[in-house]
Amino acid sequence: MSIRSNIEAVQEKIARAATLAGRKPEDVTMVAVTKTVDSAAAREVMQAGVLELGENRVQSFLDKYDVLGDEPNWHIIGHLQTNKVKYVVGKVKLIHSVDSVHLAEEISKKAQALGICQDVLFQFNISGEASKSGEAAESAEAIFEELAKLRGISVQGLMTMAPLMAEEYEIKKVFSGLRELSEKISTRQYPNAEMKYLSMGMSGDFEAAISEGANLVRIGSALFK
């Protein structure tokens, strides 16, 4: 099957899942994760009408950025090291994987040096898995008190990852946990935080994520199989 037909199949599933959840399909955005393909395949994704492209690794992003520039809306979805911050701030639409206050501080510092404000999501480890990045939900209040002091970032929402091998009820529990945390943070009305996005769900579990409120789903393998 072609990339275009795979995209259409995923979009149909997104629309179905949104409708079943009583939501509008257009309220859910697919981020095409192009980490395993080259710039030519990424361009095919764009030609099929998907302009939100996600990359895990900075070098892979930079390689594609050299070819595609800022025509797509770039998303950094993988762990970001502080020494790589300078390569992505100002070039990407959204950094999903801000998993510590220290990283947020580095992003803010670089953004302020460029005279911009970088949109980010804060990553929480709702599942509690040691292999997953992100802070514990119990730390949210203290974290957002610190994030509120940073002038170079705007926290647009939250991100999490569910366990790869788990029952659907466990996966949904992780996703509903992030939604509830987002609602709690929203009531606090922090000055530079807007709970606009819930980035959760990948190729194997995006329908469950949508049922629990995801409006950004990160789809890779389902597009390039």
Side-chain angles (χ1 to χ4, degrees):
M1 294 179 72
S2 69
I3 289 174
R4 182 181 290 272
S5 61
N6 288 340
I7 287 172
E8 290 172 353
V10 170
Q11 288 174 328
E12 287 176 7
K13 290 180 179 179
I14 288 173
R16 190 181 312 123
T19 301
L20 285 172
R23 302 172 60 199
K24 297 178 182 178
E26 58 267 28
D27 290 342
V28 181
T29 298
M30 175 172 66
V31 177
V33 180
T34 52
K35 65 177 183 177
T36 62
V37 299
D38 59 15
S39 298
R43 191 178 292 281
E44 280 191 62
V45 172
M46 295 162 59
Q47 290 169 344
V50 178
L51 295 180
E52 312 295 321
L53 302 186
E55 285 289 331
N56 276 47
R57 297 182 181 277
V58 171
Q59 189 56 57
S60 179
F61 158 67
L62 293 173
D63 290 344
K64 292 186 180 72
Y65 190 84
D66 284 344
V67 178
L68 302 174
D70 57 8
E71 184 180 354
N73 297 315
W74 294 104
H75 299 247
I76 293 294
I77 63 172
H79 176 68
L80 179 61
Q81 296 174 303
T82 54
N83 65 343
K84 300 290 181 67
V85 164
K86 59 187 176 184
Y87 300 115
V88 302
V89 171
K91 291 187 175 76
V92 302
K93 174 183 178 181
L94 190 61
I95 300 172
H96 292 226
S97 49
V98 178
D99 56 7
S100 70
V101 171
H102 178 58
L103 177 57
E105 289 170 343
E106 290 297 314
I107 294 169
S108 178
K109 189 186 304 180
K110 178 60 178 176
Q112 286 183 290
L114 294 173
I116 64 170
C117 186
Q118 176 69 57
D119 286 345
V120 305
L121 306 180
F122 200 89
Q123 182 176 357
F124 284 95
N125 184 354
I126 301 296
S127 70
E129 287 183 286
S131 61
K132 295 283 193 293
S133 297
E135 296 281 7
E138 294 76 20
S139 305
E141 186 173 347
I143 287 167
F144 272 80
E145 291 289 350
E146 293 301 311
L147 296 179
K149 301 172 185 177
L150 305 179
R151 296 292 169 261
I153 64 168
S154 177
V155 185
Q156 294 287 298
L158 308 180
M159 182 265 222
T160 199
M161 297 176 68
L164 287 176
M165 303 296 290
E167 298 292 335
E168 186 174 357
Y169 79 89
E170 295 177 284
I171 291 171
K172 285 191 171 186
K173 185 177 180 181
V174 169
F175 294 148
S176 64
L178 191 74
R179 185 194 69 242
E180 291 163 5
L181 182 59
S182 173
E183 292 167 353
K184 181 179 177 181
I185 292 169
S186 184
T187 63
R188 299 281 184 172
Q189 298 185 326
Y190 293 101
N192 65 338
E194 178 184 0
M195 294 295 101
K196 183 177 179 181
Y197 295 118
L198 280 177
S199 172
M200 54 190 196
M202 301 187 293
S203 292
D205 57 19
F206 68 88
E207 290 159 297
I210 290 169
S211 75
E212 297 298 335
N215 54 11
L216 285 177
V217 291
R218 311 178 300 270
I219 310 297
S221 59
L223 305 183
F224 305 109
K225 57 188 178 180

